[in-house]
């Protein structure tokens, strides 16, 4: 299944419920099977899927006992599906909370083109506007133009910046940048790493080395919300390389509904903190699980 279809599949099933003339047990089983298949194909954990279906059945039974008829049943089913999908996104793990007056390092990882460099800048801008002392470090020595891109972004949002286009070792750059900004008492030091292609083990190795050298308080995994392939595998690969603590899904301003978000959460066991909703630096929205699910279901 193409994962970008998860949202469309779920909303199709919910529309089927809305337009049904009668909801009986056979029909309920059929739509719950559809929802189950869609979620399992997106690698949402079985326990979550099982909880969703049990919960819908329980609510339907309770409703029938109370009302004795099927009127308004559709609303109950939809509400329960929304609640349970929202629960999947409300992970037990909470995102790292920055503390004032302390230097904290946050490393951004993700595939090339996911929007990582843009997102580091948006993230920096978000905190600068709240009065935090923020710095950006570019240790992407792999992609031509990465240094210039982040340097220019940093200048636009008036953020401190460190990079060294002459140095080829990203571990050295990351360590130097973090050290300098720690000495200068920056509170949030954001490290932008090389965007990677999935097949490149060497680049994953490099990411691990940077991670070991700078020992960040938080690793943020940036994922393109419009990709139509296996988000789960991608998120899992990053989760296996470094300890991902939170997730940002980008490019949700276009047609993408972001069904891959459920897979990213399932793979990393980490909360989504922001959504990227455009190319400018204030196009970063704090993540709201419930409104995200409502949008996903259309
Ligand atoms: P990186 O290779 O992961 O560092 O990706 P970049 O930050 O260079 O972004 C790749 C492209 O995606 C650029 O053209 C960005 O402007 C664009 N981009 C990043 N985030 C978003 C977003 O939330 N919405 C849209 N529409 N475009 C984005």
């Amino acid at each position: 299944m193409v994962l970008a279809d998860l949202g469309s599949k779920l909303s199709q099933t919910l529309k089927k419920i809305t337009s049904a003339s009668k909801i009986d047990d056979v029909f309920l089983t059929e739509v719950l099977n559809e929802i189950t298949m869609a979620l399992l194909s997106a690698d949402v954990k079985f326990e979550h899927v099982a909880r969703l279906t049990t919960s819908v059945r329980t609510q339907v039974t309770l409703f029938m006992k109370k009302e004795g008829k099927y009127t308004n049943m559709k609303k109950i089913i939809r509400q329960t599906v929304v609640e349970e999908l929202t629960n999947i996104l409300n992970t037990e793990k909470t995102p790292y909370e920055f503390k004032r007056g302390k230097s904290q390092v946050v490393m951004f990882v993700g595939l090339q083109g996911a929007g990582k460099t843009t997102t580091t800048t948006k993230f920096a801008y978000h905190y600068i506007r709240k009065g935090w002392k923020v710095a950006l470090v570019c240790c992407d020595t792999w992609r031509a133009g990465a240094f210039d891109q982040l340097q220019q972004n940093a200048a636009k949002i008036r953020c401190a910046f460190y990079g060294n286009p002459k140095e080829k070792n990203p571990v050295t750059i990351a360590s130097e940048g973090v050290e300098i900004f720690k000495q200068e008492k920056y509170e949030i030091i954001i490290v932008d790493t090389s965007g990677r292609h999935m097949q490149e083990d060497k680049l994953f190795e490099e990411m691990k080395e940077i991670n070991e050298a700078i020992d960040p308080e938080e690793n943020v995994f940036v994922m393109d919300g419009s990709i139509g392939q296996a988000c789960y595998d991608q998120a899992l690969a990053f989760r296996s390389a470094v300890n991902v603590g939170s997730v940002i899904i980008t490019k949700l301003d276009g047609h993408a509904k972001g069904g891959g978000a459920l897979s990213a959460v399932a793979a990393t066991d980490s909360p989504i903190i922001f959504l990227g909703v455009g190319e400018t630096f204030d196009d970063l929205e704090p993540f709201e699980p419930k409104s995200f699910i409502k949008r996903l279901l259309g």
Side-chain angles (χ1 to χ4, degrees), residues 111-118 122 143 149 250-251 253 276-279:
L111 289 190
Q112 183 175 12
K116 191 169 42 59
T117 302
T118 311
K122 290 177 179 177
R143 178 165 64 91
Q149 184 188 356
T250 64
K251 307 188 191 180
D253 45 312
V277 291
E279 294 187 77

Side-chain angles (χ1 to χ4, degrees), residues 159-175:
C159 182
F161 170 78
Y162 181 83
N164 182 356
K166 292 200 184 89
E167 174 59 63
K168 291 286 166 260
N169 185 348
V171 183
T172 308
I173 303 175
S175 305

Side-chain angles (χ1 to χ4, degrees), residues 133-147:
K133 210 176 163 200
V134 185
L136 281 162
V137 178
C138 171
C139 62
D140 182 352
T141 54
W142 195 63
R143 178 165 64 91
F147 173 87

Side-chain angles (χ1 to χ4, degrees), residues 96-121:
Y96 180 79
E97 257 185 57
F98 293 109
K99 293 153 197 82
R100 293 277 180 182
K102 181 178 178 258
S103 288
Q104 294 135 105
V105 179
V106 49
M107 177 163 112
F108 276 59
V109 298
L111 289 190
Q112 183 175 12
K116 191 169 42 59
T117 302
T118 311
T119 308
T120 54
T121 316

Side-chain angles (χ1 to χ4, degrees), residues 227-243:
I227 53 167
Q229 327 115 358
C231 313
Y232 184 85
D233 290 347
Q234 188 190 120
L236 197 64
F238 281 93
R239 171 73 180 83
S240 311
V242 294
N243 185 20

